[in-house]
Amino acid sequence: MSDRPSEPGGPDAAIHVEVVWLEAPGGSSVTRDGLGEPAYGVVTAPTSAVRRLVLALPSESTLATLLACRAMAVFRAELDSGALAIAVFGRAGRSDMPLYDGDRIELLGPVTADPKLARRRRVERARAAAPSGRWRRS
């Protein structure tokens, strides 16, 4: 093996992808796997830390290849149960989706609030706080 990077499409060509997820603060809702390493679950607390892992995969890898690698084993139970969803740059991922160098793979928890309802409540609070102006109906 040489010291220079492998040629694109060569026998040892690799792509690098970034996996991101949220980790509970202080590890309070984090379980441990059989190897004694933390297994990260997705939490929605605003104090959660965003974690990232950069992996090198063979060229022409798919999401299925990524999910089969050992580094992803800590997430397998949540992915299989549907507690986590997977996305590539914010778009829902499928197991046959090809991965490209520099892709960001996101492990997503369930949506806990309806965005339209949340915005409506923010507007109602703003209207109640401002006696006149933009948020007050005439």
Side-chain angles (χ1 to χ4, degrees):
M1 179 148 231
S2 67
D3 290 26
R4 63 188 184 114
S6 59
E7 297 297 319
D12 52 351
I15 61 171
H16 295 85
V17 297
E18 177 184 39
V19 180
V20 295
W21 69 94
L22 294 177
E23 180 184 5
S28 58
S29 64
V30 180
T31 60
R32 298 204 169 265
D33 68 8
L35 302 172
E37 295 295 319
Y40 300 93
V42 170
V43 294
T44 56
T47 58
S48 300
V50 176
R51 298 290 179 214
R52 64 187 283 267
L53 173 67
V54 177
L55 297 172
L57 299 171
S59 59
E60 300 181 16
S61 291
T62 63
L63 272 178
T65 309
L66 171 73
L67 296 175
C69 76
R70 185 170 183 236
M72 297 298 291
V74 295
F75 303 109
R76 199 157 292 128
E78 288 102 346
L79 288 165
D80 290 343
S81 70
L84 287 179
I86 196 161
V88 179
F89 285 116
R91 294 186 176 233
R94 298 178 325 274
S95 62
D96 62 340
M97 181 181 282
L99 296 176
Y100 301 99
D101 195 41
D103 276 354
R104 183 186 69 234
I105 291 83
E106 301 148 355
L107 302 177
L108 308 169
V111 176
T112 58
D114 178 15
K116 187 185 281 186
L117 181 60
R119 183 181 188 291
R120 189 175 298 141
R121 288 183 179 154
R122 284 193 310 271
V123 169
E124 287 170 359
R125 283 194 306 270
R127 282 183 180 153
S132 63
R134 172 180 171 178
W135 299 109
R136 188 55 67 186
R137 291 184 185 170
S138 302

